[in-house]
Amino acid sequence: MTKADTFNDSFLKACRKEHVEQLPVWYMRQAGRYDPEYRKIKEKYSLLEICAQPELAAEVTLMPVRKLGVDAAILYSDIMNPVASLGIDFDIVKNVGPVIHNPVRTKADIESLKPIQVEEDLGHVLATIRILKRELNVPLIGFAGAPFTIASYIIEGRPSKNYRRTKQLMYSEPELWRQLMDKLADMVSTYLRAQIKAGADAVQVFDSWVGALSPADFSAYVLPAIKAIFERLADVYAPKVYFPGVASGELLPYLREIKADVISVDWRVEISEARKRLGPSFAVQGNLDPMVLTAPWPVIERYAKIIIDQGCRQPGYIFNLGHGLFPEASLDKLKQLTAFVHQYSSSLMQQPAQ
């Protein structure tokens, strides 16, 4: 039996709104600190050190596929990795996040950003993808951070709660803001195209913090860059996912204009409502609140059933969380949840149409 005979493509089928026997499931941040084996690796290596070693990054990517039985792997990397190629100096600081040593705040700062050189500066990422393509029997998802979310780090200099400097630049210097968005959109589309060429089966754009904007501001200041990214990738067959992050339900109607295949939604909007706001063009991914995983199993099952019942009503649904896994999540509960999603959705799909 060949790898092709055993390859599980249910995630790719769901992205294209094709029939599946059971719902595909994977979890954002599924390679992470909830896994004791991963915690041991992190005692020895930093996130960036793991990313720089293709064999190790591939192994960390594979761990949740083996342990949880998920239907897709997501590349072990970080949304900040490609900005180093632009000339931005940063570290990932424990209990803080990205810390930028040369924040981007002036016209000179923006003009000094170089075009991304993927092969030269991010060859280790591409090497990791090539290793995974030999090892995986499920699709590999590559990814990048979206322009607003990346901008919020490189302007603020570190994670922010109010995005004061970011919004100040956006409102006060709209032409500079547009230049920055254009440069970051070019970075994202170039990086994702290289990942797909190296073997990624799908790609996801993470816009974790864009929900901090009003719909009008999102439409005026961010949406053009998002549209540009997906337009530049429109010739690529690999499914493309956009995740507008947390608290972004009010932005969903504006996404009808983008050429993505899947929209991933957080837990603040139900799957059925997300579909209404998005229209019929997209598959939908989401959207269990990660904190539900702290509850006893009967509570997790109840919440999962509600989401699955809505997801199964139309083709094109992928079970996921509404944001990333957190360190306190239980590996055993995740394994149980994965099996439950498969079993329960399969039973629903076998029922005759009403």
Side-chain angles (χ1 to χ4, degrees), residues 36-48:
E37 185 180 358
Y38 174 76
R39 288 200 294 269
K40 288 182 181 178
I41 294 172
K42 282 300 297 297
E43 289 173 4
K44 189 173 182 181
Y45 301 104
S46 71
L47 185 154
L48 295 178

Side-chain angles (χ1 to χ4, degrees), residues 205 207 218-219 222-232 234 240-244 251-264 278 281-283:
V205 178
D207 215 348
F218 173 74
S219 180
V222 176
L223 185 57
I226 299 301
K227 290 171 66 175
I229 290 167
F230 290 107
E231 284 169 1
R232 291 170 190 171
K240 296 163 281 288
V241 186
Y242 179 55
F243 175 49
L251 308 183
L252 296 182
Y254 293 82
L255 303 185
R256 294 183 178 210
E257 304 175 34
I258 70 174
K259 293 182 178 178
D261 302 287
V262 185
I263 303 298
S264 191
L278 289 166
S281 299
F282 303 101

Side-chain angles (χ1 to χ4, degrees), residues 28 241-249 252 255 262-275 278 283-288 317-318 320-323:
M28 289 185 275
V241 186
Y242 179 55
F243 175 49
V246 294
S248 58
L252 296 182
L255 303 185
V262 185
I263 303 298
S264 191
V265 297
D266 85 336
W267 61 92
R268 292 169 177 83
V269 56
E270 292 185 341
I271 295 298
S272 57
E273 179 61 26
R275 282 176 162 151
L278 289 166
V284 177
Q285 177 179 275
N287 65 338
L288 184 71
Y317 172 67
I318 300 140
N320 206 312
L321 304 176
H323 202 220

